[in-house]
Amino acid sequence: MWTGPGTPTGGSYPPGSPVRPPRPTDRGGIRPGSGLIDRGNDRTGPLVEPDWWSSGSTDQPDHPHAGGRPDQHGFTRQHPSGPLPPMPMGIWDRLGQGGNGPDDDATVATPRLGGRSGDAAGEDLPGGSPASWEEQTGAFDVIGANVDEEAPRRRGLRRSRRAEPADDHPATVALPEQHPAAAHDEDFFPDEHEFLGEPAGPLTDDEIPVAPYDPRTDRARRRRRRRPFAMLLAFLVLGTIVAGIVLGGQKLLALLDPTSQDYTGSGTGSVDVRVNQGDTLSDIAQTLDDADVVASTGPFVSAAKDHPDATGIQPGVYTLRLQMSGESALDLLLDPASRQVSRVTLREGLTVVQVLARVAEDTGTPLEELQAAAANPAALGLPAYANGMLEGFLFPATYDFEPGDTAVDMLTAMVARAEQAFDGLGVPESDRLTWITKASIVQAEAAGAEDMAKVARVLENRLADGMPLQLDTTVNYANGKGGITTTAVDRANESPYNTYVHTGLPPGAISNPGEDALRAVLAPADGDWRFFVVVNPDNGDTRFAATKAEHDANVEIFRQWLRENPGE
């Protein structure tokens, strides 16, 4: 190899030489301005390559510079026109040849990078203090000398492949055998297994731990910090989208199906709504829709179908509110306080005169209007067998009268209720007037329901015998008075209702009997009684007798009570 300074001046370069020959020029291959002597006219012709040329080393015995032998002129340099000598031998030549050059010192075992005192490759030097690995590397510049030994291994580094079995010098520093660019490509970029999250293997001898700044780590940390806020934002956006879909769907449904529209809340203001007799839930819903109580019929009907009490909505006038939800409107219709009614309760045994007075008092209807209505029985639906007599056909019960109901409406409702009771007991219309008349007397004379069947038997026995009934209640009805006693003047009244003067039954009822009295007439008690008297009106004690003597004794007990109660 060439051992002198400068650049070879001619000839060919040996194979494998790191220096490339100069490009030929027009003047014999010498580049102008190179500082070399122009020997263009020295035509030596082609030279035969000597054997030592291909060796690439001055150790070849035939090499011109082997052993420092001079040439024929005493110089140790070949003629310029001869083949160029090889380049001087450097460190890599000596390492490649494995010879013992000037710098071929014995290999020194150096601790592995990052080794600790006591490791196999990092024993303490004699003297007790560990030697610095920089000192043990000799003249070599160790890659990564400026890296902290304690720095963690970079996560992105590719896991080193397992090395071949170690040679006899495991502690020798392993130098890379490949081009630096190849090492960069192979070892710097992360292995595909690293990206999949597999743990990195242990460090090997040819792997240098480094901890450079990794922007990806910082970006990941920022992403982790932003993740909760991003999730919260995503939930808010999703909730907004869902709410928009729901509201939009409701509006679209309302446009497609007008019957599904519904107000929200319990409404405002006040409005009166009438529910008529026989109205269905759909009829009631339509009435509410017409009055703007509900937005449409659908929500109310749906709510009513799910409520078991909805079918029991009573006819009447209800105080509701405007623009209510269907469910709220249903709740008010089921609330008794929402219904505008005037409730009238008629007890058993009241006369027509007494009934009209009670209705006028409880409903605020003028008495004159009620009396005028009673004077026209045909307008009230009175049956023909009643012979135009209203007494006995105003059935005792509780009635709810609504605002706007007239006197005729009220009395008509009572007559209809009486006919309903009569039909239920199955009495033929041809017998009903007599039956109602007897029941009215039983209702007026008996102190309690337990005595009604006995009173009915007394009437049947006396009528069967042809005896006058002689009942004070009929005399008082004829005289238009009340009480439990009569006077001689009262009993002298020629009214057909005076049973002291006339035998048999009066022409019609003397009161409005209840169902118990009606049933008692249909099934009188068994007995031979012809007489009865209430001996103590305070507790209703009634005595029945078959003979006149027994009856007179019972009458004396009653007179004693009268003496004890002079105001009666």
Side-chain angles (χ1 to χ4, degrees):
M1 298 181 66
W2 177 256
T3 58
T7 304
T9 60
S12 302
Y13 283 80
S17 174
V19 181
R20 296 291 182 267
R23 285 179 289 181
T25 63
D26 294 337
R27 300 185 59 185
I30 303 302
R31 187 174 63 241
S34 62
L36 300 178
I37 300 174
D38 183 6
R39 300 181 182 275
N41 296 325
D42 189 0
R43 302 180 181 272
T44 60
L47 296 179
V48 179
E49 183 179 287
D51 294 337
W52 55 265
W53 187 262
S54 60
S55 66
S57 175
T58 56
D59 294 336
Q60 177 69 21
D62 297 334
H63 195 281
H65 293 281
R69 291 177 299 175
D71 58 8
Q72 65 271 20
H73 301 289
F75 296 99
T76 60
R77 185 175 59 180
Q78 261 187 304
H79 192 274
S81 63
L84 291 176
M87 292 295 291
M89 185 174 61
I91 295 175
W92 293 102
D93 292 310
R94 290 194 297 273
L95 289 175
Q97 293 295 327
N100 294 326
D103 294 331
D104 263 350
D105 297 335
T107 300
V108 179
T110 303
R112 186 169 54 185
L113 297 181
R116 295 182 302 274
S117 177
D119 290 341
E123 297 290 344
D124 293 344
L125 296 179
S129 62
S132 171
W133 56 268
E134 291 94 337
E135 297 177 0
Q136 299 183 39
T137 58
F140 298 112
D141 291 335
V142 179
I143 300 174
N146 60 334
V147 179
D148 188 1
E149 293 184 357
E150 299 299 327
R153 178 185 178 188
R154 180 176 175 178
R155 182 176 178 82
L157 289 177
R158 181 177 178 177
R159 186 186 300 110
S160 297
R161 296 182 175 86
R162 295 298 181 184
E164 298 296 331
D167 55 9
D168 295 338
H169 305 283
T172 304
V173 175
L175 297 178
E177 298 179 358
Q178 54 193 9
H179 194 273
H184 176 80
D185 293 340
E186 293 291 330
D187 294 336
F188 180 81
F189 290 100
D191 192 282
E192 60 271 13
H193 300 292
E194 295 282 351
F195 283 115
L196 295 176
E198 298 181 6
L203 295 176
T204 58
D205 291 343
D206 60 349
E207 189 174 49
I208 301 175
V210 295
Y213 171 75
D214 187 357
R216 293 175 298 177
T217 304
D218 192 46
R219 287 196 297 270
R221 187 181 303 109
R222 289 196 298 268
R223 284 197 298 270
R224 288 194 295 270
R225 286 197 299 265
R226 292 195 299 265
R227 188 173 302 164
F229 301 100
M231 293 178 64
L232 178 59
L233 180 60
F235 280 124
L236 291 176
V237 173
L238 180 60
T240 303
I241 294 175
V242 171
I245 293 174
V246 172
L247 295 177
Q250 291 178 347
K251 292 183 178 180
L252 180 60
L253 181 61
L255 293 175
L256 296 178
D257 184 10
T259 62
S260 65
Q261 298 180 14
D262 194 12
Y263 292 125
T264 59
S266 57
T268 59
S270 177
V271 60
D272 293 340
V273 177
R274 177 181 291 275
V275 176
N276 298 314
Q277 183 72 34
D279 280 355
T280 64
L281 291 176
S282 297
D283 296 334
I284 297 174
Q286 189 61 53
T287 301
L288 298 179
D289 188 12
D290 295 341
D292 197 25
V293 174
V294 297
S296 63
T297 60
F300 175 82
V301 174
S302 298
K305 288 181 178 179
D306 295 335
H307 203 296
D309 297 334
T311 56
I313 297 176
Q314 298 297 316
V317 177
Y318 293 83
T319 301
L320 304 179
R321 291 184 285 272
L322 294 171
Q323 298 184 353
M324 305 178 67
S325 67
E327 187 172 357
S328 298
L330 176 63
D331 292 339
L332 278 186
L333 287 175
L334 296 176
D335 185 0
S338 300
R339 188 181 179 195
Q340 297 182 23
V341 295
S342 297
R343 180 160 294 183
V344 178
T345 300
L346 302 178
R347 65 176 178 83
E348 296 85 349
L350 293 179
T351 64
V352 171
V353 175
Q354 292 171 326
V355 168
L356 296 181
R358 177 64 59 85
V359 172
E361 179 182 355
D362 291 347
T363 64
T365 304
L367 181 59
E368 294 77 9
E369 293 182 8
L370 293 169
Q371 292 172 344
N376 185 14
L380 305 178
L382 195 66
Y385 65 84
N387 295 329
M389 295 180 293
L390 190 57
E391 196 73 68
F393 288 88
L394 300 179
F395 194 79
T398 298
Y399 298 90
D400 290 335
F401 299 117
E402 303 164 2
D405 286 351
T406 64
V408 174
D409 295 332
M410 298 176 188
L411 298 181
T412 300
M414 298 177 189
V415 172
R417 178 66 181 85
E419 282 291 283
Q420 179 183 359
F422 301 157
D423 293 339
L425 293 175
V427 177
E429 289 189 4
S430 58
D431 300 331
R432 284 187 183 180
L433 184 57
T434 300
W435 170 54
I436 294 170
T437 301
K438 291 179 180 180
S440 66
I441 295 173
V442 170
Q443 185 73 61
E445 292 286 346
E450 64 277 4
D451 294 332
M452 287 183 178
K454 292 181 178 181
V455 173
R457 174 53 61 185
V458 171
L459 293 180
E460 295 298 332
N461 291 339
R462 291 176 77 99
L463 290 173
D465 294 343
M467 296 175 59
L469 295 179
Q470 296 180 337
L471 300 171
D472 291 341
T473 55
T474 62
V475 173
N476 287 337
Y477 181 81
N479 291 294
K481 58 180 291 189
I484 58 177
T485 61
T486 61
T487 65
V489 177
D490 294 335
R491 291 189 292 270
N493 189 336
E494 295 294 332
S495 170
Y497 287 90
N498 187 349
T499 57
Y500 278 90
V501 175
H502 305 283
T503 59
L505 292 172
I510 64 173
S511 69
N512 292 281
E515 191 168 345
D516 290 338
L518 293 169
R519 292 182 181 276
V521 173
L522 294 177
D526 295 335
D528 57 353
W529 310 293
R530 278 18 179 218
F531 306 93
F532 67 91
V533 61
V534 180
V535 297
N536 188 344
D538 291 338
N539 57 21
D541 186 7
T542 303
R543 306 291 174 90
F544 293 87
T547 65
K548 181 68 167 65
E550 294 175 348
H551 177 62
D552 291 341
N554 294 332
V555 170
E556 187 58 34
I557 298 174
F558 172 64
R559 288 174 179 172
Q560 181 62 34
W561 182 88
L562 289 175
R563 288 190 292 267
E564 295 174 356
N565 299 276
E568 299 296 334

